[in-house]
Amino acid sequence: MQTRLWNGLTFLGSIAVTLLGLLLLTFVIGRVMPIDPVLAIIGDEASQQAYDRVYQQLGLDQPIYIQFLRYMSEILHGDFGTALLTGKPVIEDIARVFPATVELATLSILIGVGLGVPLGVLAAVRRGKLTDHVVRFLSLIFYSTPVFWLGLIGLIVFYAKLGWSGGTGRVEIFYTGIVQPITGFLLIDSAITKNWDVFWSAARNIWLPATILGLSSMAYISRMTRSFMLEQLGQEYVLTARIKGLSRSEVIWRHAFLNIRVQLLTIVALAYGGLLEGAVLIETVFSWPGFGSYLTSSLMMGDMNAVMACTLLVGLIFMGLNLLSDLLYRVLDPRTRAA
């Protein structure tokens, strides 16, 4: 009991130290960047008196460690500052844009896992054969091709030529704002309110960017799945199982695959975290009003309040996913429970 309590306290302490280090590093980088936050607020044509007044209001006349301590105190009181981009509290902006990214990333990881895992297993089972070469070739193509280029090609082919996609944004422009946010996920909210026109418009708009991101994830997941499966298929217990008369599918799915599920959890968790954090380019190409677009716009304006809050959120995402995968480890693999 004491060991578990100590492990829990150690884990929470490591989270706090990591977040503190992340905030400190981002804060220092923000202060040394060649962007003047005062000019970002008042503009280039403001008077020197106005500049000095805002400079003091922001606390920039104080030593940097005082500025950081002041910022930490505000965060502990739930105040992440006001965004220059919208003039609203940063936390409100993030709460508005983040569901759009979660919706896109979740569909993408479902596509990536749904394609990547079976293809990786298939490539490992048929190692050296045509199927293996095709899977590896497709993985290489989608892994190495930039997603923004795939996005542009996808828009030209499926939107401009074929008309299968709804184009840019989360929904067609004349449906914007019709459905009031309930969960923030437009597909769910439109289904809950039975606004099926908005639902199908949202579905037409999301499938293309989600598929492109999903194919990128598929490439990574299939390569790792193939590698894990090859390692298991080379073990003696696989040969023993075949000698005992088990069918090939039983050996693959009930023995070898079960032994790689814990490793796959880490891969999927990292891929999902990467989608939540790194969907910036595809959001830009598709004008997707999500977290990545918001972070990019904030960086361009030198809005450090928004950048710092987004950085903290990204750190929390990865820590949350690591914690979730660690908990699932213990559920799926009893050997790790004693650790």
Side-chain angles (χ1 to χ4, degrees):
M1 183 66 183
Q2 289 182 344
T3 303
R4 290 184 178 180
L5 179 60
W6 174 251
N7 289 339
L9 291 174
T10 304
F11 181 74
L12 292 176
S14 65
I15 289 179
V17 171
T18 304
L19 288 178
L20 181 63
L22 183 65
L23 277 176
L24 179 60
L25 180 63
T26 311
F27 187 86
V28 172
I29 291 175
R31 286 297 182 267
V32 300
M33 284 175 63
I35 296 176
D36 192 333
V38 179
L39 292 180
I41 295 175
I42 63 176
D44 296 335
E45 299 180 357
S47 64
Q48 185 62 40
Q49 290 78 9
Y51 181 93
D52 294 340
R53 185 171 62 253
V54 174
Y55 189 83
Q56 292 180 358
Q57 288 175 349
L58 294 177
L60 298 175
D61 57 332
Q62 300 293 322
I64 191 168
Y65 72 91
I66 296 293
Q67 296 178 38
F68 182 70
L69 291 176
R70 177 183 173 185
Y71 180 71
M72 287 297 300
S73 174
E74 292 172 348
I75 285 181
L76 292 176
H77 288 84
D79 182 9
F80 288 83
T82 302
L84 300 180
L85 192 65
T86 62
K88 297 179 180 177
V90 171
I91 198 70
E92 288 186 12
D93 282 349
I94 292 178
R96 174 176 51 80
V97 301
F98 196 57
T101 296
V102 173
E103 189 174 43
L104 178 63
T106 302
L107 284 178
S108 302
I109 198 65
L110 290 175
I111 294 171
V113 173
L115 294 175
V117 171
L119 286 177
V121 172
L122 184 64
V125 172
R126 302 185 64 81
R127 182 182 185 183
K129 298 183 179 178
L130 178 61
T131 306
D132 183 25
H133 293 310
V134 171
V135 171
R136 292 171 63 190
F137 176 74
L138 290 176
S139 298
L140 180 63
I141 292 295
F142 289 117
Y143 189 73
S144 57
T145 306
V147 292
F148 72 89
W149 188 85
L150 289 176
L152 291 173
I153 296 300
L155 279 175
I156 293 172
V157 174
F158 294 104
Y159 172 63
K161 297 293 183 182
L162 300 176
W164 295 356
S165 170
T168 58
R170 294 184 77 183
V171 71
E172 292 174 80
I173 191 167
F174 42 85
Y175 289 131
T176 303
I178 290 180
V179 175
Q180 294 300 314
I182 300 174
T183 65
F185 306 114
L186 190 55
L187 288 172
I188 296 176
D189 291 347
S190 57
I192 291 175
T193 57
K194 298 182 180 180
N195 200 325
W196 300 114
D197 289 337
V198 176
F199 176 85
W200 290 116
S201 176
R204 276 172 51 84
N205 278 43
I206 198 173
W207 78 264
L208 183 56
T211 301
I212 291 171
L213 283 177
L215 290 174
S216 179
S217 299
M218 178 276 292
Y220 174 61
I221 292 171
S222 66
R223 288 165 65 90
M224 298 307 296
T225 303
R226 178 183 181 275
S227 175
F228 296 150
M229 281 297 291
L230 285 177
E231 182 181 352
Q232 291 300 318
L233 293 176
Q235 300 293 321
E236 291 184 357
Y237 76 87
V238 172
L239 179 60
T240 304
R242 292 301 303 273
I243 293 174
K244 287 182 177 179
L246 294 181
S247 67
R248 191 179 188 188
S249 62
E250 285 180 313
V251 173
I252 293 170
W253 295 106
R254 293 182 57 184
H255 293 274
F257 183 74
L258 288 182
N259 284 337
I260 71 167
R261 57 184 177 172
V262 175
Q263 294 168 292
L264 281 179
L265 274 177
T266 303
I267 298 302
V268 173
L270 290 176
Y272 188 56
L275 287 172
L276 289 172
E277 176 202 3
V280 176
L281 293 175
I282 207 70
E283 286 190 2
T284 302
V285 171
F286 284 87
S287 299
W288 195 262
F291 180 72
S293 296
Y294 180 74
L295 177 57
T296 304
S297 302
S298 301
L299 280 169
M300 296 299 289
M301 287 194 65
D303 185 353
M304 291 312 298
N305 285 335
V307 172
M308 294 282 288
C310 291
T311 302
L312 182 63
L313 178 60
V314 170
L316 287 173
I317 288 171
F318 274 98
M319 289 181 188
L321 289 173
N322 281 330
L323 176 61
L324 179 62
S325 62
D326 187 58
L327 293 175
L328 290 174
Y329 272 17
R330 296 172 183 272
V331 173
L332 296 175
D333 190 351
R335 294 172 298 180
T336 61
R337 294 174 191 169

